[in-house]
Amino acid sequence: MNKAEKILPYKNSGSGKKEQVAEMFDNIAPKYDFLNHFLSMNIDKIWRRKSIRLLKSEKPQLILDVATGTGDFAFEIYKRLKPKKIIGIDISEGMLKVGEEKIKKRNLTEYIEFRKGDSENLDFEDNYFDAVTVAFGVRNFENLQKGLAELFRVLKPSGKLIVLEFSQPDKFPIKQFYGFYSKYILPFFGKLFSKDKSAYIYLPESVNAFPYGEKFTQFLKNAGFKSAQYKKFSFGISSVYFAEK
């Protein structure tokens, strides 16, 4: 078990990580999009665009977006790549409800579909998708290795995996600023706007515990992926990982 799997949103709850993560995202869903962009100063949009470029030459037509949340990554993928179909899954019904409203508003029901689903027990056949993406979701997996093995299973041979996730900067002064921001600024504004202080304490804790960089590429290799590589964004605040089945 890696350290991230032990980090829980509600430490006094008797339920498992999966149930707690679903509850947490249900609680913060109404304010999630606003807070996500506000607290990242919209830099997260740039990270998404740069990550999607890694798939452009592949021209995938059937894409699975895991831990899709309210669908920001799925919508950006459609905008940039115009695949025939994107299926987004998430364990939070609250987040999916927000995402489904966005699908209707943008008239994309023919191209994007959201379903409730568990990354560690995907309800799809083997070798089904041209590409699988995950943005800021793998650190919330209850069992990281099992989840990655499932992503590998549903990918077609030579299919591509893109994982965008927070990491940790290691150079002065970004490291110090990021540490202060995560410990004090993020929980303050998270509690102020979302009314769920625990969620915005959990989020930086889960980042700190996540096995980023070379450690995560080893998890990908253990799941069967080849050519596992990564690239840092914004001095290492986030990283994109890309691998092939």
Side-chain angles (χ1 to χ4, degrees):
M1 178 183 286
N2 72 83
K3 290 188 293 182
E5 292 169 7
K6 300 177 184 178
I7 303 295
L8 302 173
Y10 308 110
K11 296 176 175 61
N12 295 322
S13 170
S15 55
K17 179 171 182 176
K18 198 174 296 181
E19 291 75 23
Q20 290 191 38
V21 167
E23 179 186 350
M24 178 191 74
F25 281 113
D26 284 346
N27 290 340
I28 66 176
K31 296 289 185 180
Y32 181 79
D33 281 344
F34 164 74
L35 273 170
N36 203 25
H37 302 315
F38 172 74
L39 291 170
S40 72
M41 296 174 284
N42 278 324
I43 296 173
D44 63 305
K45 294 181 180 179
I46 298 172
W47 297 337
R48 285 183 173 88
R49 287 197 295 269
K50 287 184 175 181
S51 299
I52 293 164
R53 281 181 203 153
L54 296 169
L55 285 176
K56 194 168 184 180
S57 64
E58 305 297 326
K59 297 182 173 58
Q61 295 304 305
L62 181 58
I63 300 173
L64 175 66
D65 187 42
V66 175
T68 197
T70 64
D72 271 2
F73 205 39
F75 292 121
E76 193 66 29
I77 290 169
Y78 182 76
K79 180 181 177 181
R80 304 280 165 183
L81 303 182
K82 294 292 190 296
K84 290 180 180 177
K85 187 79 173 182
I86 300 171
I87 299 175
I89 66 158
D90 202 280
I91 58 174
S92 167
E93 292 181 1
M95 297 286 274
L96 291 172
K97 185 177 179 182
V98 175
E100 284 163 0
E101 289 301 315
K102 288 158 75 172
I103 290 177
K104 292 174 187 174
K105 188 176 180 180
R106 300 177 194 198
N107 296 314
L108 292 174
T109 52
E110 184 180 345
Y111 305 102
I112 301 177
E113 174 191 344
F114 292 149
R115 305 179 187 176
K116 186 175 182 182
D118 178 1
S119 60
E120 294 163 33
N121 295 283
L122 296 173
D123 190 22
F124 301 104
E125 300 172 7
D126 295 356
N127 311 312
Y128 192 70
F129 292 97
D130 299 315
V132 174
T133 61
V134 195
F136 308 114
V138 291
R139 73 182 189 283
N140 297 321
F141 286 8
E142 188 168 58
N143 185 317
L144 179 59
Q145 198 66 73
K146 184 179 179 183
L148 294 177
E150 273 291 90
L151 306 190
F152 181 85
R153 179 183 68 78
V154 300
L155 260 178
K156 292 178 181 177
S158 300
K160 301 299 188 292
L161 172 71
I162 299 290
V163 174
L164 176 60
E165 188 53 89
F166 287 109
S167 46
Q168 295 181 52
D170 55 10
K171 296 223 168 102
F172 178 87
I174 304 298
K175 178 181 179 180
Q176 286 71 20
F177 169 77
Y178 184 67
F180 178 83
Y181 179 85
S182 299
K183 190 172 182 179
Y184 300 105
I185 306 298
L186 188 64
F188 173 78
F189 281 105
K191 180 184 179 184
L192 183 67
F193 289 108
S194 77
K195 311 302 181 187
D196 190 332
K197 184 179 180 181
S198 295
Y200 286 89
I201 292 174
Y202 162 77
L203 292 172
E205 284 183 347
S206 66
V207 171
N208 290 336
F210 182 70
Y212 65 95
E214 292 294 342
K215 290 180 181 177
F216 184 65
T217 61
Q218 190 56 56
F219 275 89
L220 293 172
K221 291 172 185 174
N222 291 344
F225 288 99
K226 58 186 180 182
S227 307
Q229 303 173 59
Y230 72 100
K231 181 180 180 180
K232 295 179 181 179
F233 293 147
S234 302
F235 306 99
I237 293 175
S238 75
S239 298
V240 62
Y241 303 84
F242 42 104
E244 180 181 333
K245 180 168 178 177

